[in-house]
């Protein structure tokens, strides 16, 4: 929708951007609010440009930072106490989003464990729930117009509340540089810490209980090797312990329910695996990926607990799932992963696939032993006392007592080779026919010319 300009005196601070005409219709907006500089600026900008009541929502999904200070910041900026929502969503995040994704063994472009992607639908879900509760008619987020997160937040929101209005400041304002953001903050009395004023980290970070991502800044050169001190969750494999550690994961219907025999909640499982994996330098990834909006992007990721979960899950599935079920899951996995990466968690196709995946997990029960050593994971044992399809009597190389008749293999092989043999015969016939044609032409050329007699 076109913007209408407002007369304003030029200032040395940021240029004032006029709100869209639709702004007059916004009475209350729910903002995904971290309490950091960017979302604090957004909060003030919404108040000034949309002249609406703002509700803040701050989620603890395991980012490792204190979130309660966001309450004090919101109060200082005039937000009513009843309009401040601060919630611990760690258990819901792992139970209802991370674990279902790992049942699918999801990897985007063969490597990325989707740590940022899987957090967005939960935040979108709570934004909509709070909007309904507070009678808000819009939501707002701090995602830029170049990234994937804008798509994920908004697809989720529209799926849950089709008529909701979305305000994405980065697509509307002109505060597109650090200097303009700082000038706006100074003008409106928004606190800026020393690191932010001096430029902060040479890249941006996003953290949750599943991973930390690093992108932008110096990492925009895909040939630049990150400094060793960038990584927060993992030690370098070179500095990991010289002694390996063996851990045992207990699975129930595809989810880890205990580590080394100790029962744990989903969030506790992931927290513990992050600690163990990080100590052994497990879960680092440096990747150039394809964003949904069309550009390539370089990101670095730390996912220690998730990397362990994936290895363990594939190991327990290897003895509890039928061959064709495993093959079907592997065929569908890249598509499932793209759905999550592109923001389609609440789509009917993802929900349909999830039902299929979860059905397959009913027999994925047992234990897996993993050896962790200097950035590597080695499966050293897997067992299911109730659902194992591994039959040692049949698979043994020793005398199986007639459990498997090796002579049956001859007919099996011949039947499977039938199409290959037919194809080979046809190919040979074509070759023979092609060889015969030049010979026939040569013979015809040598025949003497017969003169006609009168």
């Amino acid at each position: 929708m076109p913007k209408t300009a407002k007369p304003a005196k030029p200032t040395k601070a940021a240029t004032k951007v006029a709100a869209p005409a639709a702004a007059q219709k916004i009475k209350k907006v729910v903002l995904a609010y971290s309490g950091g500089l960017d979302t604090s600026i957004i909060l003030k900008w919404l108040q000034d440009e949309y002249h609406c009541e703002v509700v803040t929502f701050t989620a603890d999904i395991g980012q490792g930072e204190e979130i309660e200070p966001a309450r004090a910041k919101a109060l200082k900026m005039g937000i009513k106490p009843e309009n401040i929502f601060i919630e611990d969503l760690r258990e819901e995040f792992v139970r209802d989003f991370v674990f279902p994704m790992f049942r699918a063994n999801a990897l985007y472009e063969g490597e990325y464990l989707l740590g940022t992607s899987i957090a967005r639908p939960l935040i979108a879900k709570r934004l909509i729930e709070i909007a309904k509760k507070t009678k808000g008619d819009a939501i707002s987020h701090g995602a830029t117009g170049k990234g994937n997160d804008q798509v994920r937040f908004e697809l989720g929101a529209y799926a849950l509340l089709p008529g909701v209005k979305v305000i994405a400041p980065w697509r509307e304002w002109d505060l597109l540089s650090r200097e303009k953001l700082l000038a706006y903050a100074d003008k409106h009395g928004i606190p800026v810490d020393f690191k932010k004023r001096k430029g902060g980290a040479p890249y941006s970070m996003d953290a949750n209980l599943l991973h930390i991502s690093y992108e932008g800044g110096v990492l925009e050169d895909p040939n630049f090797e990150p400094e060793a001190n960038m990584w927060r969750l993992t030690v370098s494999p070179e500095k990991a312990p010289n002694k390996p550690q063996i851990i045992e994961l207990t699975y129930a219907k595809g989810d880890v329910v205990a580590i080394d025999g100790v029962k744990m909640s989903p969030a506790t499982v992931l927290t513990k695996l992050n600690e163990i994996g990080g100590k052994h330098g497990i879960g680092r990834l440096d990747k150039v990926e394809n964003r949904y909006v069309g550009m390539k992007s370089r990101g670095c990721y730390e996912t220690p607990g998730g990397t362990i979960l994936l290895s363990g899950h594939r190991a327990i599935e290897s003895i509890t799932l039928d061959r064709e079920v495993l093959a079907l899951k592997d065929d569908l996995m890249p598509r499932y992963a793209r759905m999550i990466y592109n923001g389609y968690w609440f789509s009917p196709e993802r929900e349909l696939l999830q039902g299929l995946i979860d059905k397959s997990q009913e027999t994925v029960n047992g234990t897996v032993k993993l050896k962790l050593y200097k950035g590597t994971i080695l499966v050293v044992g897997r067992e299911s006392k109730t659902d194992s399809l591994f039959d040692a009597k049949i698979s043994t190389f020793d005398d199986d007592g007639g459990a498997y008749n090796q002579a049956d293999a001859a007919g099996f092989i011949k039947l499977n080779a039938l199409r290959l043999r037919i194809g080979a015969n046809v190919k040979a016939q074509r070759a023979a026919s092609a060889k015969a044609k030049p010979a026939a032409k040569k013979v015809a050329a040598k025949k003497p010319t017969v003169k006609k007699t009168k």
Side-chain angles (χ1 to χ4, degrees):
M1 185 173 292
K3 299 178 180 179
T4 56
K6 290 183 180 179
K9 294 180 180 179
T11 64
K12 292 182 180 179
T15 303
K16 195 170 184 181
V17 178
Q24 305 304 319
K25 301 176 183 178
I26 303 295
K27 295 181 179 179
K28 183 181 290 186
V29 58
V30 182
L31 169 66
Y33 180 65
S34 69
L37 177 62
D38 287 5
T39 53
S40 293
I41 289 174
I42 289 173
L43 194 164
K44 179 61 178 172
W45 184 85
L46 289 170
Q47 292 172 328
D48 287 352
E49 301 297 334
Y50 279 79
H51 307 288
C52 62
E53 190 173 5
V54 178
V55 176
T56 63
F57 163 55
T58 307
D60 181 358
I61 50 176
Q63 57 265 47
E65 296 178 353
E66 179 61 47
I67 62 171
E68 195 57 35
R71 187 187 307 276
K73 291 181 180 180
L75 287 170
K76 187 176 180 181
M77 298 183 74
I79 305 302
K80 298 175 182 177
E82 64 269 23
N83 282 344
I84 299 173
F85 291 79
I86 296 179
E87 300 175 351
D88 184 344
L89 301 179
R90 286 174 293 178
E91 287 294 347
E92 182 180 358
F93 175 50
V94 182
R95 182 190 66 236
D96 297 343
F97 294 85
V98 174
F99 273 10
M101 181 178 72
F102 274 87
R103 290 177 212 139
N105 301 320
L107 283 171
Y108 179 66
E109 296 186 333
E111 296 180 290
Y112 175 40
L113 283 162
L114 299 161
T116 298
S117 315
I118 195 60
R120 297 330 188 201
L122 173 56
I123 294 172
K125 171 176 171 283
R126 286 302 294 140
L127 281 172
I128 293 302
E129 289 171 348
I130 293 170
K132 290 178 178 179
K133 182 176 181 179
T134 61
K135 294 182 171 54
D137 49 4
I139 63 167
S140 182
H141 60 76
T144 74
K146 281 190 174 183
N148 297 305
D149 280 344
Q150 59 177 338
V151 183
R152 296 164 182 157
F153 284 134
E154 294 175 35
L155 286 179
Y158 288 132
L160 298 172
L161 189 61
V164 69
K165 298 180 180 68
V166 178
I167 302 173
W170 282 96
R171 300 200 300 251
E172 297 183 19
W173 65 20
D174 75 338
L175 308 179
L176 302 179
S177 68
R178 186 169 61 88
E179 290 73 19
K180 287 186 176 182
L181 287 169
L182 292 175
Y184 188 95
D186 289 341
K187 178 182 177 182
H188 296 283
I190 300 170
V192 179
D193 63 36
F194 179 78
K195 288 184 179 180
K196 282 284 185 182
R197 195 170 292 282
K198 291 297 181 180
Y203 36 75
S204 66
M205 295 171 48
D206 182 79
N208 59 49
L209 198 52
L210 181 55
H211 86 162
I212 297 181
S213 68
Y214 310 87
E215 61 182 0
V218 296
L219 299 178
E220 289 181 355
D221 177 0
N223 201 36
F224 173 83
E225 181 180 0
E227 298 95 337
N229 62 4
M230 179 189 78
W231 307 98
R232 305 292 181 90
L233 291 178
T234 59
V235 302
S236 67
E238 296 89 342
K239 294 182 179 179
N242 292 321
K243 183 179 179 181
Q245 179 178 352
I246 295 178
I247 62 172
E248 182 181 81
L249 306 181
T250 301
Y251 283 85
K253 294 186 177 181
D255 296 338
V256 175
V257 294
I259 301 175
D260 293 332
V262 179
K263 292 184 178 180
M264 299 179 182
S265 70
T268 309
V269 163
L270 190 50
T271 301
K272 184 64 175 178
L273 291 180
N274 280 335
E275 175 191 330
I276 297 171
K279 181 176 70 173
H280 291 280
I282 288 167
R284 291 185 178 184
L285 174 65
D286 187 334
K287 178 174 176 55
V288 173
E289 67 201 52
N290 291 290
R291 286 182 179 173
Y292 193 26
V293 295
M295 68 188 73
K296 289 187 181 293
S297 172
R298 190 268 190 97
C300 296
Y301 303 100
E302 287 182 287
T303 321
T307 304
I308 295 172
L309 282 176
L310 180 64
S311 295
H313 190 254
R314 294 203 69 101
I316 191 64
E317 282 192 328
S318 72
I319 62 169
T320 58
L321 286 190
D322 172 79
R323 179 188 72 180
E324 294 305 314
V325 173
L326 267 174
L328 180 60
K329 283 189 78 239
D330 283 346
D331 287 345
L332 294 172
M333 182 277 286
R335 187 166 185 171
Y336 177 97
R338 287 196 300 273
M339 290 177 194
I340 295 175
Y341 186 86
N342 294 340
Y344 291 94
W345 178 263
F346 296 109
S347 68
E349 63 269 27
R350 200 284 309 176
E351 292 174 349
L352 181 68
L353 265 185
Q354 193 70 57
L356 177 68
I357 290 163
D358 291 351
K359 179 66 178 178
S360 77
Q361 300 299 289
E362 290 179 358
T363 61
V364 182
N365 306 301
T367 58
V368 173
K369 290 180 181 177
L370 303 172
K371 181 184 287 188
L372 314 178
Y373 181 66
K374 291 189 177 295
T376 65
I377 304 174
L378 180 65
V379 179
V380 294
R382 70 288 278 166
E383 180 183 38
S384 177
K385 295 180 179 178
T386 57
D387 298 286
S388 177
L389 298 176
F390 184 92
D391 191 334
K393 292 178 181 178
I394 293 177
S395 62
T396 181
F397 284 98
D398 290 332
D399 185 0
D400 59 22
Y404 178 87
N405 185 353
Q406 296 193 36
D408 291 344
F412 170 80
I413 295 168
K414 284 186 176 180
L415 284 175
N416 278 281
L418 182 58
R419 65 186 178 87
L420 305 178
R421 294 164 69 191
I422 292 172
N425 287 335
V426 172
K427 185 177 180 180
Q429 291 170 4
R430 284 199 303 266
S433 176
K435 188 176 181 180
K437 286 179 180 178
K441 289 180 179 178
K442 194 173 183 182
V443 170
K446 288 182 178 180
K447 286 182 179 180
T449 303
V450 179
K451 292 183 179 180
K452 292 183 180 180
T453 57
K454 294 182 179 178

